[in-house]
Amino acid sequence: MADADSRARRQAEWLALASRRGAQARALWPLSLLYRALVALRRQAYVAGWSRVQRLPVPVIVVGNVVVGGAGKTPTTIALVQALKARGWRPGVVSRGHGRTGTEVSAVGPAASAEQVGDEPLLIRSATEVPVWVGRQRADAGRALLAAHPDVNVIVCDDGLQHWSLGRDLALAVFDDRGMGNGWLLPAGLLREPWPPRAGMAFAPDVVLHTGLNAPPLAAGQVVFSLQRGLISEARNEQGTHMPLARLRDRPLVALAGIARPGVFFQALLAEGLTLSQQIALPDHAGPDAYARLVQSHPDAELICTEKDAVKLFPLLAGRTGTLRAWTVPLAVTLPPALIDHVAARLRQTAARQPA
């Protein structure tokens, strides 16, 4: 666990560093100028046609982050897919599958592991029950998905705002309470690309979603919607049993979070009145070994974790003897109806332009 603890601590320290314009961030600022130049050069390569944008035969929606680390992209993707299904669309999802061991294009099946396909694609597949495919090149994953599921009529790309080789018809950027951080690009700040984008900038997000009190600054033509997110009122264990969260309040729980900002999850649990005897932060996309060591070191604990952790932790508990128990609490994102109306209208316009 020592190595995982060290990586999680470094991750937290860097996120804190990049959220303010302190001495360390200022020292890294010249590197952020180099990063900005490389982003601009890469963008120009696609605009000029030196790098090819690949289009799929169905509308494509990209949901992603402009800031690094834990802005709520995956829960937003899940909520959007569920909303599209409710409106009669037949969505499929593509993702790179960050953290998986392979690079080949593959389907995320019900028996897949996070090591094979990535933890976030596995979570999306479990939560939405729509076809999910992973691939280093999202266009390849999209074509494979459509070949296997020809009834799918819209592709949602989980992450990939900066993956410009996949043509998109609508792009949604998710911000949280950190806003733009210190306003600088990597590695001096949290931004993956300049924000706000210049008017008319290629590949700029069409829609801005935020969960903070204040919306980030916008470019001309962008629209903004406020999201609500929070823990749902019940937990689920590895056997599929559900329990009201309130019934866990008097138990000493070991809280686990292998996400970009584990402290946000811990504070949400405390706000629900839960008693946390220990808070364990793992690195984002931590590998299976970290979870195996945690199970071995806490044989009699009652764990509570995020859904992203559960897809890696729960398989380790199958058939295990002992008193170790584990619960997961989903994070729910509520999308405003006006956002769904906006997305549906754009999809109808795009679908009308698609060749038969």
Side-chain angles (χ1 to χ4, degrees):
M1 288 293 294
D3 181 59
D5 290 343
S6 176
R7 287 174 54 207
R9 185 168 56 253
R10 291 196 302 270
Q11 176 178 289
E13 289 171 350
W14 180 81
L15 287 174
L17 158 71
S19 297
R20 60 182 185 275
R21 295 189 177 184
Q24 290 176 290
R26 292 179 185 278
L28 293 170
W29 181 70
L31 291 179
S32 75
L33 297 181
L34 175 60
Y35 178 84
R36 178 188 290 265
L38 292 174
V39 169
L41 181 62
R42 180 169 168 267
R43 190 189 305 267
Q44 181 57 34
Y46 282 97
V47 172
W50 305 328
S51 296
R52 187 164 67 96
V53 176
Q54 303 179 64
R55 306 290 308 192
L56 297 180
V58 299
V60 172
I61 304 173
V62 175
V63 182
N65 297 338
V66 172
V67 294
V68 173
K73 161 192 60 64
T74 298
T76 302
T77 298
I78 291 171
L80 178 62
V81 169
Q82 292 170 334
L84 290 173
K85 288 176 65 178
R87 291 288 184 101
W89 291 87
R90 299 183 299 277
V93 176
V94 298
S95 173
R96 179 177 180 177
H98 187 78
R100 67 190 180 116
T101 53
T103 59
E104 70 283 354
V105 172
S106 61
V108 180
S113 69
E115 191 173 16
Q116 293 168 331
V117 299
D119 47 18
E120 290 169 346
L122 196 58
L123 171 57
I124 294 169
R125 170 69 171 75
S126 173
T128 65
E129 297 183 338
V130 304
V132 180
W133 283 65
V134 295
R136 184 178 181 86
Q137 296 298 321
R138 274 72 154 193
D140 293 341
R143 282 190 286 267
L145 187 156
L146 292 172
H149 303 274
D151 60 317
V152 166
N153 58 8
V154 58
I155 293 289
V156 179
C157 181
D158 176 56
D159 205 355
L161 276 184
Q162 294 77 37
H163 186 79
W164 299 324
S165 63
L166 173 63
R168 75 276 304 266
D169 300 286
L170 186 65
L172 286 63
V174 183
F175 288 83
D176 58 13
D177 57 294
R178 298 170 297 166
M180 300 188 301
N182 63 14
W184 288 343
L185 271 69
L186 295 167
L190 298 175
L191 292 176
R192 302 175 188 226
E193 56 182 283
W195 196 269
R198 299 191 312 273
M201 177 180 284
F203 307 110
D206 311 276
V207 177
V208 174
L209 310 176
H210 72 99
T211 57
L213 294 177
N214 300 307
L218 304 178
Q222 288 181 319
V223 295
V224 62
F225 296 93
S226 176
L227 305 182
Q228 300 295 321
R229 67 174 181 171
L231 300 179
I232 70 168
S233 59
E234 66 177 19
R236 174 179 59 86
N237 67 12
E238 73 277 9
Q239 297 174 338
T241 302
H242 293 257
M243 177 182 289
L245 206 54
R247 290 181 57 186
L248 294 174
R249 284 177 180 162
D250 297 327
R251 304 183 186 183
L253 302 170
V254 175
L256 164 68
I259 57 178
R261 300 175 68 203
V264 174
F265 179 67
F266 300 148
Q267 289 302 315
L269 295 176
L270 292 170
E272 292 289 336
L274 300 185
T275 300
L276 305 184
S277 62
Q278 190 177 357
Q279 300 176 15
I280 301 176
L282 294 179
D284 197 11
H285 305 291
D289 289 349
Y291 293 89
R293 288 193 294 269
L294 186 140
V295 168
Q296 292 171 359
S297 61
H298 293 76
D300 303 312
E302 188 165 21
L303 302 174
I304 189 164
C305 65
T306 73
E307 283 190 299
K308 186 171 170 179
D309 296 297
V311 299
K312 291 176 280 190
L313 175 65
F314 282 7
L316 299 176
L317 305 182
R320 180 182 172 83
T321 59
T323 60
L324 175 70
R325 290 176 291 174
W327 300 91
T328 183
V329 188
L331 174 67
V333 171
T334 302
L335 306 180
L339 168 62
I340 307 306
D341 291 341
H342 180 83
V343 171
R346 288 288 297 271
L347 286 178
R348 288 193 296 270
Q349 294 170 3
T350 302
R353 296 194 301 267
Q354 296 285 348

